[in-house]
Amino acid sequence: MATLKDIAEKTGVSVSAVSRVLNMDDTISVSAETRKRIFEAARELGYNSKSKNKGSNARESLKMGIAQMFEMEQIMEDVYYLYMKTALEEACFARNIETTSLFRNAQGQFIMNGSGNLDGIFAIGSFTKSEIESFHRYTDNIVFVDSTPDDEKYYAAVPNFHLGVRQAVNRFIEGGHKKIGFIGSHFTLQETRDLILDNRLYYFKNMLTEKGLYREKFILNSEMNSKSSYEVLNNFLNFSEEYPTALFISSDAMAQGVIKAITQAGLSIPDDISLITFNDTLISQNSVPPLSSVRVLQREIADAAVRSMDEQRKGSAYPYKTVIPCIYIERSSVKNLK
């Protein structure tokens, strides 16, 4: 039987760190990549912790598929989805549930390696009707993470976008900002990948309109990556006579491009432009300056998804959506004007 020492040797991580990660210790500071490596090694070596073999944690052996809307190249541009998958794998591992990745084939259908059925599928992101139908070839137990394609049919676990945007906007307003901008994709692939108004922009626009602060010229449309955010903001700062004193960034994936455009324009953060970003991954935490951010509680979302899968497999009469709150994290990128 594999031991913690075996996992430590395979991953190059200390035994104590391996133990804390496998026991879901949130206080240990390790990267998502290291966590993923530890859990993968534990599965490959057949490691079983004592806690998984006793009491309420003992359960039948289950196998769950995990599907992601983005291909790996896109995931590396926005590590939020990599972290979300890792959180799901950790939540399943803690319950002695095996996981396997599903892949999109040339025909746009999701398949798994090997044959057989799955006990359930966690689908991260938004998917076409055809893609969702391909899930049903393996199982009817499907839980969506970060999207809700059909509230009457599917379970889902999602972050509270409304709360997160409200936290950011209120922080700006409390700091005396009246010229508040937004940068991010105006439309997003939601509800079976139909292009609809992005939730973050929808709530942002409504809040500022209610307070009489909405200004269309400060709403910048950018793809959710650093390259696009730099090009869009750089163009705006070069040709606009006025710029916002506060800017809400709808994803950490865009943060470095935003910072580059501001500094190249001879402006500083937060003296000239205050920033708050969304997701709170290591990108915002390690930026210069560290960015105030709305944190999406990915582990809590993953736990909610696994609980939803349990309810679905028990034959619950109606599906439900679990909405997990966000937390505002203050750092060094917001200046008080009053």
Side-chain angles (χ1 to χ4, degrees):
M1 179 179 293
T3 66
L4 294 174
K5 183 178 179 182
D6 295 330
I7 299 171
E9 291 176 351
K10 184 175 179 64
T11 58
V13 180
S14 71
V15 172
S16 62
V18 168
S19 176
R20 291 174 65 184
V21 168
L22 293 179
N23 284 289
M24 311 298 282
D25 184 349
D26 289 331
T27 64
I28 184 172
S29 178
V30 297
S31 69
E33 291 79 4
T34 299
R35 286 183 180 275
K36 181 178 178 63
R37 196 164 73 248
I38 290 171
F39 278 96
E40 286 178 346
R43 282 192 294 270
E44 291 172 7
L45 295 172
Y47 174 78
N48 276 302
S49 68
K50 293 180 181 179
S51 64
K52 292 191 297 179
N53 295 321
K54 63 181 181 180
S56 60
N57 285 329
R59 61 173 65 202
E60 61 182 308
S61 178
L62 300 175
K63 184 176 183 179
M64 299 290 170
I66 299 180
Q68 294 179 281
M69 67 177 283
F70 287 139
E71 301 294 346
M72 184 52 65
E73 181 178 347
Q74 295 169 295
I75 291 172
M76 295 314 297
E77 290 183 350
D78 189 348
V79 294
Y80 170 83
Y81 292 97
L82 176 63
Y83 295 164
M84 191 70 251
K85 182 174 184 286
T86 299
L88 274 169
E89 290 173 336
E90 291 180 3
C92 288
F93 184 87
R95 295 164 175 82
N96 202 23
I97 299 173
E98 180 185 355
T99 59
T100 186
S101 296
L102 300 182
F103 302 95
R104 190 183 285 107
N105 64 15
Q107 291 71 45
Q109 303 291 293
F110 276 87
I111 60 173
M112 72 172 187
N113 290 328
S115 58
N117 292 323
L118 295 168
D119 296 295
I121 291 175
F122 297 106
I124 305 173
S126 303
F127 300 85
T128 66
K129 292 180 179 179
S130 174
E131 289 170 344
I132 294 173
E133 288 172 2
S134 70
F135 297 154
H136 284 283
R137 293 185 308 193
Y138 295 104
T139 177
D140 290 329
N141 299 322
I142 304 168
V143 175
F144 286 86
V145 179
D146 259 20
S147 73
T148 53
D150 188 337
D151 284 339
E152 294 182 308
K153 187 174 182 180
Y154 295 109
Y155 285 80
V158 299
N160 192 330
F161 288 105
H162 189 188
L163 173 61
V165 172
R166 187 167 73 244
Q167 291 168 333
V169 171
N170 283 342
R171 176 63 183 90
F172 283 146
I173 292 175
E174 290 167 1
H177 293 274
K178 298 185 181 300
K179 297 193 295 182
I180 304 173
F182 173 100
I183 184 167
S185 177
H186 287 194
F187 295 91
T188 190
L189 295 171
Q190 292 287 339
E191 279 72 23
T192 61
R193 286 182 129 183
D194 296 322
L195 282 172
I196 65 169
L197 189 67
D198 180 80
N199 283 326
R200 284 153 291 197
L201 177 56
Y202 174 81
Y203 294 124
F204 180 91
K205 182 176 181 179
N206 284 352
M207 283 193 66
L208 288 189
T209 299
E210 288 175 2
K211 297 178 182 298
L213 297 175
Y214 181 75
R215 300 176 68 174
E216 184 70 30
K217 70 177 181 178
F218 291 156
I219 308 301
L220 307 181
N221 189 15
S222 166
E223 295 178 21
M224 306 286 262
N225 59 63
S226 182
K227 180 177 182 293
S228 180
S229 65
Y230 166 74
E231 293 172 349
V232 169
L233 185 56
N234 182 61
N235 183 68
F236 172 82
L237 293 174
N238 283 336
F239 294 99
S240 177
E241 296 179 355
E242 185 181 22
Y243 58 82
T245 62
L247 187 63
F248 177 69
I249 308 170
S250 62
S251 171
D252 275 5
M254 308 165 63
Q256 294 306 310
V258 169
I259 292 172
K260 180 180 178 182
I262 291 173
T263 55
Q264 282 192 358
L267 303 173
S268 66
I269 305 165
D271 290 338
D272 296 306
I273 301 179
S274 292
L275 299 178
I276 296 177
T277 187
F278 196 87
N279 285 342
D280 194 44
T281 65
L282 290 174
I283 294 174
S284 58
Q285 297 169 28
N286 295 331
S287 293
V288 180
L291 301 181
S292 298
S293 182
V294 176
R295 177 175 295 171
V296 175
L297 301 176
Q298 292 181 307
R299 290 194 180 186
E300 286 75 7
I301 291 173
D303 284 338
V306 175
R307 290 195 298 271
S308 294
M309 184 66 73
D310 284 341
E311 290 298 313
Q312 185 169 189
R313 295 188 67 254
K314 290 176 184 176
S316 180
Y318 302 102
Y320 56 79
K321 175 169 62 178
T322 305
V323 181
I324 303 297
C326 299
I327 298 176
Y328 174 71
I329 306 296
E330 180 82 4
R331 294 197 178 93
S332 308
S333 62
V334 179
K335 178 181 180 179
N336 292 322
L337 300 183
K338 61 178 182 179

